[in-house]
Amino acid sequence: MSKPEFTPNEMMTIAASRALKNDDVCFVGIGAPSAACNIARLTHAPDITLIYESGTIGTAPDVLPLSIGDGELCDTALTTVPVPEMFRYWLQGGRITIGFLGAAQIDKYGNINTTVIGDYDCPKTRLPGGGGAPEIATSSQEVYITLAQSKRGMVEKIDFYTSFGHGDGGDHRERLGIDTKGPTLLITDLAIWKPDPVTKEFTVVSLHPGVTRDQVQETCGWSVEFADGVEETPPPTELELATLRDLKARTEAAHKGA
């Protein structure tokens, strides 16, 4: 039987979804994180609790939301709580096992910029901003990050610190009194990365099928470290691909008003 064909973005989303467990309580970012979290819910983690910044708890959208204010989230949630309760009781109370974020820029220590490209006072591009991501990055027990690789997005030094990762590396979080683990996983369209236990620099631990080390380095703005014995990411299964494609087809149809 021939293996199903897939795109790099599909591989990224599915690899990210596999990292989630059935008993996770996940604070979900819009975009790629939302797709990964809902694929997990629709496949191997049906009891995962998905929480969005607007206060929806245990949401199970039939289509991917356009924003945290999308009515689909509230319509399918177990309950909706006020935003102050969401942040103070759920997030800052330590009840979120995984914060799942995207990034416009990221550095090798998992610090995220979603605020501006260029100088803050006169930027080349002004981005949507942090929203709740700064609090998610410091208060979730762990943080997963997903983005497509490019030298523009994966940079030696980010232009603005929106969401704190491991700072300058090492014990920087601990020195600042942040007692959560911070970024523990980075999933791109080419590879899976984990922070070095000591330096906290993201290191490639798995290459997606057909991807070379040179491809990873060519699309990254810092000198990439590779773990000893880099593995190959298992390709998507037919079920995972079908679930993802069906979800995206439903989402496209809904957003077109079909």
Side-chain angles (χ1 to χ4, degrees), residues 5-74:
E5 296 183 359
F6 53 90
T7 68
N9 276 340
E10 287 175 332
M11 181 74 259
M12 176 176 70
T13 301
I14 289 168
S17 74
R18 292 171 178 165
L20 296 165
K21 303 185 298 295
N22 197 49
D23 59 352
D24 273 328
V25 179
C26 187
F27 208 122
V28 187
I30 294 297
S34 184
C37 291
N38 280 286
I39 292 303
R41 177 180 62 82
L42 293 167
T43 54
H44 67 276
D47 297 324
I48 191 172
T49 301
L50 301 185
I51 294 178
Y52 286 78
E53 191 178 330
S54 51
T56 57
I57 298 175
T59 191
D62 188 56
V63 300
L64 295 175
L66 286 169
S67 71
I68 61 169
D70 196 314
E72 177 75 12
L73 296 176
C74 192

Side-chain angles (χ1 to χ4, degrees), residues 3-4 28 43 80 86 92 155 162 188 198 230:
K3 295 180 180 179
V28 187
T43 54
T80 301
M86 169 62 63
Q92 295 173 347
V155 296
T162 307
T188 73
V198 177
V230 174

Side-chain angles (χ1 to χ4, degrees), residues 92-135:
Q92 295 173 347
R95 293 171 172 83
I96 306 299
T97 61
I98 304 294
F100 216 134
L101 300 174
Q105 277 187 337
I106 187 172
D107 67 16
K108 61 185 176 182
Y109 297 119
N111 302 300
I112 292 174
N113 171 26
T114 53
T115 302
V116 293
I117 301 299
D119 180 74
Y120 182 82
D121 293 320
C122 189
K124 296 177 183 177
T125 305
R126 190 166 294 280
L127 302 169
E135 288 77 18

